[in-house]
């Protein structure tokens, strides 16, 4: 399982790991189970950076945290978001055209607009969380953004016939996958108590909307859509946590 974690880290982040040159199909499948743990590691690094806040203003610290977030992930998920935005607009409701545009490496105005808006929302939410002195909350968006990928891999078919994502999808254990989802929510309830309801419900609603939209538009999930899911769920989680910190001090 340690190799699967290293593989997940190497796929999703720039965090140095031992070389994974001969990963098997089974290890690729198991690596998906480690995605929330990768999020926890990433979130812990962001929390540590955010706790240096007394040195800087909340706004500058928020900008540094967001910059570190993008750097540590290599902009991988933002790239998926950009490709998905262009495909959704340019695909004109056609499944084949949507998937074709998604593979185009060029960014159109839709991609740029969506990425800029999402980063602004993330920045504002991070600044609010820092002003509430709730830096430790930053771990959860990174965890639940990647947990969303796990859930959608479990409930959706893979939309493309080939690729590494197809291998991961085919070799992902459904039993262990739902076990990871269950344990993550147990950890959330343990940390938040009743307030976990206010965090969990928007996340579940977002997952359902992703499920219905992807099933109707592309017939399943892809690597680019996984990145878009992660970014949007992170933004939703940050906004909800900023609101929770104001309404229900945590």
């Amino acid at each position: 399982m340690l190799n699967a974690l290293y593989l997940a880290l190497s796929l999703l982040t720039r965090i140095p790991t031992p070389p994974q040159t001969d990963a098997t199909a089974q290890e690729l499948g198991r690596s998906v189970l480690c995605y929330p743990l990768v999020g926890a590691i990433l979130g812990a690094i962001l929390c540590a950076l955010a706790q240096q806040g007394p040195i800087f203003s909340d706004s500058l610290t928020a900008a540094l945290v967001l910059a570190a977030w993008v750097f540590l992930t290599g902009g991988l998920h933002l790239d998926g978001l950009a490709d998905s935005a262009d495909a959704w607009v340019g695909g004109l409701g056609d499944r084949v055209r949507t998937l074709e545009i998604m593979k185009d490496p060029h960014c159109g105005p839709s991609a740029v607009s969506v990425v800029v808006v999402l980063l602004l929302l993330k920045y504002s939410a991070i600044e609010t969380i820092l002003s509430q002195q709730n830096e430790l909350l930053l771990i959860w968006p990174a965890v639940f953004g990647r947990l969303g990928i796990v859930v959608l891999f479990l409930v959706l078919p893979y939309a493309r016939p080939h690729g590494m994502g197809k291998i991961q999808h085919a070799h992902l254990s459904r039993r262990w996958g739902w076990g990871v989802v269950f344990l993550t929510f147990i950890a959330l309830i343990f940390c938040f108590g009743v307030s976990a309801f206010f965090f969990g419900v928007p996340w579940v609603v977002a997952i359902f909307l992703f499920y219905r939209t992807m099933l109707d538009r592309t017939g399943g999930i892809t690597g680019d859509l996984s990145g878009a899911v992660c970014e949007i769920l992170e933004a939703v989680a940050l906004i909800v946590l900023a609101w929770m910190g104001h309404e229900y001090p945590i």
Side-chain angles (χ1 to χ4, degrees):
M1 199 63 185
L2 193 57
N3 285 339
L5 175 59
Y6 289 151
L7 186 58
L9 280 167
S10 67
L11 289 172
L12 299 184
T13 74
R14 292 179 178 269
I15 298 173
T17 60
Q20 302 294 307
T21 55
D22 298 316
T24 65
Q26 288 72 26
E27 285 175 332
L28 284 170
R30 286 194 292 268
S31 70
V32 179
L33 300 175
C34 298
Y35 281 9
L37 181 55
V38 170
I41 294 170
L42 176 62
I45 296 172
L46 297 174
C47 288
L49 178 60
Q51 287 178 331
Q52 306 306 312
I55 302 175
F56 306 112
S57 65
D58 289 339
S59 58
L60 180 55
T61 303
L64 291 172
V65 168
L66 184 56
W69 207 325
V70 174
F71 173 78
L72 287 170
T73 59
L76 174 68
H77 307 307
L78 285 173
D79 179 69
L81 176 66
D83 289 341
S84 299
D86 274 342
W88 234 250
V89 174
L92 301 175
D94 181 78
R95 177 179 181 272
V96 174
R97 180 169 171 77
T98 298
L99 291 172
E100 286 177 352
I101 295 175
M102 210 175 290
K103 295 186 71 174
D104 189 332
H106 300 94
C107 280
S110 300
V112 174
S113 300
V114 169
V115 169
V116 169
V117 169
L118 181 127
L119 290 175
L120 284 172
L121 288 172
K122 278 190 166 184
Y123 167 79
S124 298
I126 292 170
E127 184 180 21
T128 301
I129 290 170
L130 296 181
S131 70
Q132 297 163 349
Q133 298 184 337
N134 284 329
E135 295 89 350
L136 290 176
L137 295 182
L138 292 176
I139 193 171
W140 292 104
V143 171
F144 273 81
R146 285 149 190 82
L147 185 68
I149 299 175
V150 177
V151 171
L152 290 173
F153 262 57
L154 290 170
V155 300
L156 283 171
Y158 201 75
R160 298 190 188 279
H162 305 293
M164 186 174 65
K166 177 70 173 179
I167 298 173
Q168 290 178 300
H169 185 275
H171 291 86
L172 172 62
S173 167
R174 269 51 186 171
R175 181 180 63 180
W176 285 103
W178 288 116
V180 168
V181 175
F182 175 76
L183 289 175
T184 306
F185 270 93
I186 290 296
L188 181 73
I189 294 170
F190 178 80
C191 292
F192 287 102
V194 177
S195 296
F197 173 83
F198 299 102
F199 182 89
V201 169
W203 185 88
V204 171
V205 170
I207 288 290
F208 176 76
L209 292 175
F210 281 129
Y211 169 79
R212 289 302 314 167
T213 303
M214 290 180 190
L215 200 59
D216 292 341
R217 185 64 178 271
T218 59
I221 193 165
T222 69
D224 284 326
L225 289 173
S226 297
V229 164
C230 184
E231 286 291 341
I232 294 172
L233 288 178
E234 284 180 345
V236 169
L238 283 167
I239 292 169
V240 171
L241 288 171
W243 170 78
M244 285 175 62
H246 174 72
E247 296 290 335
Y248 305 93
I250 44 182

